[in-house]
Amino acid sequence: MNMNKKLMILAACAWTMTHVQAQKITAQTEVVDCGSVVYEHPVTVKFEMQNSGYSPLVIKDVKTSCGCTSVEFPRTSIPAGDGFSVSATYDARQQGHFLKDVAIYSNASDKPFYLTIRGVVVEEVVDFAGEYHYTLADVMADKHDLEFDDVNRGDMPMEKIHIMNKGTKAITPTVMHLPEYLKAIVSPTIIAPGRQGTVSVILDSKKLRDYGLTQTSVFLGMFPGDKVSPEKEISVSAVLLPAFTELTESQLVNGPKIKLSRENVDINFGKRSKKTESITIENTGHMILDISSLQMFTSGLKLKLNKTRLLPGESAVLKITAEAKQLRSVRTRPRVLMITNDPTKPKVVIHLNVK
């Protein structure tokens, strides 16, 4: 081996020693939600962990945030790359919500590595009494689409999906592909076969960019790192309304007013592949009516509006063309959304009844 190669190998080793920790603790999950726990029935959580460094890991001590939580952990050194587990048991002797920390002190750092268990202690666990109409991979669900309607800037509404593990193995449901304006919490973190849980999705309306309809799809994985597939899809829509909080009483009374010839449209295809229906839109107010947004909740529709700005007394015609093949395969109800500057009716939804 020539001198240049030796120097390159030494340099690579030096870089590795400098940039990779000798001992490093990693965990599959650092926070476990136990969901509902029956009073005085201790619950045990097992954290799967690993020494991701290149030297043996030694756990020197483990401390809990109170005496109500006991811990089991490896007492011998853990070789580089090896996995290990830490078990925490909460005694559940106090009803109500709990959040308990486990601090792991080791030769990996001067600071502890924290694990957290949380949940709520109840007198009796009450299971979801509704029906599960949908399937999302290995779970049954009471819904597979979420709608955040009539959202004002600053609101943080929450929608829930009840799920049940219909498989033969425990799962760790994870919501994947969340946009920045959505947050999801699954409780409990681990769901045993035949057991129930909830997926809570929270919308941060401050992070929605535009008024009107915003749509996306998220996916419910059965474990962290699961693959995305259509069978795991959850459709999410949000309608952000413009604010009229600073208008005076006179401005509200004398503002624009939208009037539609109908807001429910029956689509009878018969043997046709397409059908077009017309709706007349009129401004019966005293100021200019602006239709700032015209959107569809589903595919299979084409919209044509001959004008979006109406003077007092003026009217416009909205033509809705529906395509039979596409509408028969959509997951959500076909609707058309309009956002206007009518302070009494900023959102108009036209419902399509397909037959």
Side-chain angles (χ1 to χ4, degrees), residues 100-294:
K100 304 299 176 184
D101 289 329
V102 175
I104 301 175
Y105 294 85
S106 71
N107 62 340
S109 174
D110 294 334
K111 297 179 180 179
F113 184 93
Y114 283 99
L115 302 171
T116 301
I117 61 172
R118 67 187 182 199
V120 57
V121 178
V122 296
E123 188 69 33
E124 181 182 2
V125 175
V126 179
D127 287 337
F128 173 62
E131 296 182 2
Y132 299 101
H133 296 287
Y134 306 98
T135 300
L136 298 169
D138 292 336
V139 305
M140 300 294 292
D142 67 327
K143 63 180 77 170
H144 65 357
D145 61 273
L146 301 176
E147 297 181 357
F148 295 93
D149 286 334
D150 299 341
V151 177
N152 295 298
R153 185 75 73 184
D155 291 351
M156 293 192 68
M158 180 177 71
E159 290 286 335
K160 281 189 176 183
I161 300 176
H162 294 90
I163 61 176
M164 181 177 70
N165 181 2
K166 66 182 181 70
T168 58
K169 297 180 180 179
I171 57 175
T172 308
T174 304
V175 183
M176 306 178 292
H177 284 210
L178 283 165
E180 64 173 0
Y181 57 84
L182 293 178
K183 178 183 178 182
I185 300 172
V186 180
S187 178
T189 301
I190 301 173
I191 303 178
R195 302 302 299 172
Q196 298 179 348
T198 58
V199 179
S200 300
V201 180
I202 304 161
L203 169 70
D204 185 352
S205 62
K206 292 181 181 179
K207 295 182 179 179
L208 290 174
R209 289 185 290 178
D210 301 314
Y211 292 118
L213 178 65
T214 300
Q215 292 179 301
T216 190
S217 289
V218 298
F219 300 85
L220 186 66
M222 299 300 104
F223 53 87
D226 195 3
K227 294 181 179 179
V228 169
S229 64
E231 65 176 359
K232 303 166 188 174
E233 182 182 6
I234 300 170
S235 302
V236 184
S237 64
V239 177
L240 182 65
L241 302 180
F244 298 102
T245 55
E246 297 180 359
L247 294 183
T248 65
E249 186 69 26
S250 175
Q251 288 173 320
L252 289 171
V253 172
N254 295 296
K257 290 191 180 298
I258 189 170
K259 181 181 179 181
L260 279 70
S261 58
R262 52 179 172 162
E263 295 184 21
N264 288 279
V265 178
D266 291 329
I267 304 290
N268 295 293
F269 287 108
K271 295 183 179 180
R272 289 168 291 187
S273 60
K274 293 183 180 180
K275 182 71 182 296
T276 299
E277 295 286 345
S278 297
I279 296 174
T280 301
I281 302 170
E282 186 180 357
N283 178 11
T284 61
H286 303 283
M287 297 180 65
I288 294 174
L289 173 70
D290 286 316
I291 300 173
S292 58
S293 180
L294 183 63

Side-chain angles (χ1 to χ4, degrees), residues 247-348:
L247 294 183
T248 65
E249 186 69 26
S250 175
Q251 288 173 320
L252 289 171
V253 172
N254 295 296
K257 290 191 180 298
I258 189 170
K259 181 181 179 181
L260 279 70
S261 58
R262 52 179 172 162
E263 295 184 21
N264 288 279
V265 178
D266 291 329
I267 304 290
N268 295 293
F269 287 108
K271 295 183 179 180
R272 289 168 291 187
S273 60
K274 293 183 180 180
K275 182 71 182 296
T276 299
E277 295 286 345
S278 297
I279 296 174
T280 301
I281 302 170
E282 186 180 357
N283 178 11
T284 61
H286 303 283
M287 297 180 65
I288 294 174
L289 173 70
D290 286 316
I291 300 173
S292 58
S293 180
L294 183 63
Q295 299 168 288
M296 305 168 295
F297 282 87
T298 62
S299 60
L301 300 175
K302 292 182 180 179
L303 308 176
K304 186 177 181 180
L305 181 62
N306 64 335
K307 61 174 73 173
T308 59
R309 191 164 202 194
L310 282 67
L311 296 172
E314 279 193 329
S315 62
V317 176
L318 171 64
K319 291 186 177 181
I320 303 173
T321 300
E323 298 184 2
K325 185 177 181 180
Q326 289 192 54
L327 281 179
R328 290 190 180 116
S329 62
V330 299
R331 295 175 46 162
T332 57
R333 296 167 292 157
R335 289 160 292 163
V336 174
L337 170 71
M338 285 191 290
I339 299 297
T340 80
N341 65 334
D342 179 349
T344 63
K345 202 168 185 178
K347 182 188 81 169
V348 177

